[in-house]
Amino acid sequence: MSDQPTTIDYARLDALPELAAQADSLIEEAFAYQKNFKFSVDFAPLTSPRNHHNRHVLVDTASQRVLAHVGLSPRNFVWDGEVIPVALLGGIAVAPGLRGQGLFQLLFERVLAQAQSQCAFFLLWSDKHELYEKWDFHLAGKQWCYRAAPAKESLAPATKLEALPRDERERLAAIYRTSINRRYFSPLRDETDWDELCRITSADLHLFKEGYAFRNKGMDLTDVFHDLAHAEGIEALLPALYGHGQIWAPENLPVADDIYVDLQQVGLWKPNHHPMALRKLSHLLGLEVNFRDGRFCVDRDGLLIKLRAEELLAELFNYGNHGLRKEAIPIYIGGLDSI
């Protein structure tokens, strides 16, 4: 019997929720998931039934087999008092026997087109940089990885976010708002978001008097501290975490000579050119941004500057050649939010 589909149809999982488990299995197969990990746990906000309308699939109508999947998680980020909508993309997978036949492009472009009016940026995480450049996704943003020799003292026992009483979870949410949202271009988290994050039971939570740190989450974040917040700034947490795992942080902080520091990119970003998106990009840049002839255009002191997508991203988040911002916007996306 041939594995080739007879008729392919597009659907969302809110219309076919019975295919959600099959879609999860397809993703786990595509990413060679180990048996002790579950995609639906590690990326619970994406796979939540309340997000099924943002999970897009191609289906063999004869066999009801899921052939491809692209998930989207719409999130509101904040910078300098302005809410910036960002579409996070993840769970991108095609059935192994059907790769190279155009299914990915068919589904991916449909998802991008449908979300065009809803976000200022698309964001995904992948090491296939050249593949996604075709759709104007480019590396942008900076994060630093801190490593130290194994610590002699052990950390206090970890807990799970879901184990915290409501008032303690609200304390963490308040620390996140004051220390992360006010300092970085970062996702907002309302009560529903925190409830969804509780379902990521593969992440361990370490509590401190005025802060917290999450360690572990699936295969990619084993022994990594990836979601940190502290009332006095992330730098106040680092000494307690050194030697207990890698630490991912959004700033290049002064450290001792025996601490190894590695610069990493945050993810692959695609700036949008919908009119709503241009207003948000203008807020981030501090100059009016327009879009003409396939370029983002900025008028600075009477000089028209035309920017490709990657150049605009560099002006915002890295080290742009035109110096349109005095400083790069610092990005913070904790590992619980990444998909």
Side-chain angles (χ1 to χ4, degrees):
M1 181 177 177
S2 174
D3 286 336
Q4 294 300 311
T6 53
T7 305
I8 299 174
D9 199 7
Y10 160 84
R12 300 185 326 194
L13 288 187
D14 57 336
L16 295 170
E18 66 274 14
L19 297 183
Q22 189 185 150
D24 294 344
S25 295
L26 171 65
I27 297 164
E28 290 175 355
E29 181 181 12
F31 288 95
Y33 250 61
Q34 299 171 11
K35 290 184 178 181
N36 54 322
F37 295 105
K38 297 290 291 182
F39 181 81
S40 60
V41 172
D42 300 336
F43 301 96
L46 177 67
T47 61
S48 169
R50 65 188 290 267
N51 195 52
H52 276 178
H53 63 290
N54 287 312
R55 298 190 66 185
H56 306 265
V57 293
L58 294 179
V59 181
D60 181 348
T61 54
S63 65
Q64 286 293 284
R65 180 167 64 108
V66 176
L67 309 175
H69 174 276
V70 174
L72 185 147
S73 178
R75 296 294 303 274
N76 283 326
F77 282 49
V78 64
W79 175 252
D80 193 24
E82 182 86 5
V83 174
I84 313 290
V86 178
L88 311 183
L89 297 161
I92 301 172
V94 177
L98 300 175
R99 293 169 188 168
Q101 299 184 24
L103 294 184
F104 164 66
Q105 180 170 344
L106 177 68
L107 182 57
F108 191 63
E109 291 182 352
R110 181 162 186 165
V111 173
L112 294 181
Q114 289 184 6
Q116 188 80 301
S117 64
Q118 304 169 22
C119 62
F121 298 97
F122 293 94
L123 170 62
L124 60 83
W125 289 265
S126 174
D127 57 2
K128 298 179 173 62
H129 304 161
E130 294 182 1
L131 169 65
Y132 289 104
E133 281 184 1
K134 175 180 178 179
W135 292 282
D136 257 345
F137 283 83
H138 303 278
L139 282 168
K142 301 180 290 292
Q143 71 177 15
W144 283 262
C145 176
Y146 297 86
R147 298 182 180 90
K152 296 179 181 179
E153 304 83 10
S154 59
L155 275 176
T159 185
K160 301 292 183 181
L161 182 59
E162 67 169 352
L164 297 187
R166 177 69 63 176
D167 60 341
E168 181 67 1
R169 200 186 308 167
E170 290 173 352
R171 184 181 75 87
L172 267 59
I175 293 172
Y176 178 84
R177 287 192 300 271
T178 57
S179 66
I180 303 301
N181 289 151
R182 292 182 184 177
R183 190 167 177 173
Y184 307 103
F185 180 57
S186 54
L188 291 166
R189 292 175 178 173
D190 61 20
E191 185 175 342
T192 301
D193 293 319
W194 282 98
D195 287 343
E196 291 292 343
L197 295 180
C198 286
R199 298 174 56 237
I200 307 178
T201 54
S202 56
D204 296 318
L205 171 61
H206 295 270
L207 296 171
F208 300 87
K209 183 178 180 181
E210 295 183 272
Y212 65 83
F214 285 90
R215 179 171 61 171
N216 300 320
K217 176 193 158 189
M219 295 188 299
D220 295 338
L221 295 175
T222 300
D223 289 330
V224 175
F225 292 98
H226 53 79
D227 204 302
L228 324 174
H230 194 280
E232 297 178 5
I234 288 173
E235 57 271 24
L237 278 178
L238 297 190
L241 304 180
Y242 286 145
H244 297 288
Q246 298 180 40
I247 306 168
W248 289 3
E251 293 187 70
N252 186 12
L253 302 167
V255 296
D257 292 340
D258 59 345
I259 306 298
Y260 179 77
V261 184
D262 179 34
L263 176 62
Q264 303 173 338
Q265 298 279 4
V266 171
L268 294 169
W269 297 76
K270 172 184 172 67
N272 200 353
H273 52 77
H274 184 274
M276 176 277 293
L278 294 176
R279 292 194 298 272
K280 300 298 184 179
L281 295 174
S282 298
H283 171 80
L284 291 172
L285 191 62
L287 294 166
E288 184 177 356
V289 179
N290 294 294
F291 189 80
R292 294 194 294 271
D293 302 322
R295 293 289 186 270
F296 294 92
C297 301
V298 177
D299 186 330
R300 183 177 65 177
D301 300 328
L303 176 65
L304 181 64
I305 301 174
K306 296 183 178 180
L307 303 168
R308 297 188 304 273
E310 62 269 35
E311 293 175 316
L312 176 62
L313 291 168
E315 297 294 332
L316 292 171
F317 302 127
N318 290 338
Y319 305 104
N321 292 330
H322 299 281
L324 298 180
R325 281 187 53 86
K326 292 182 179 179
E327 296 178 331
I329 297 172
I331 300 173
Y332 185 93
I333 304 174
L336 297 185
D337 292 310
S338 66
I339 63 170

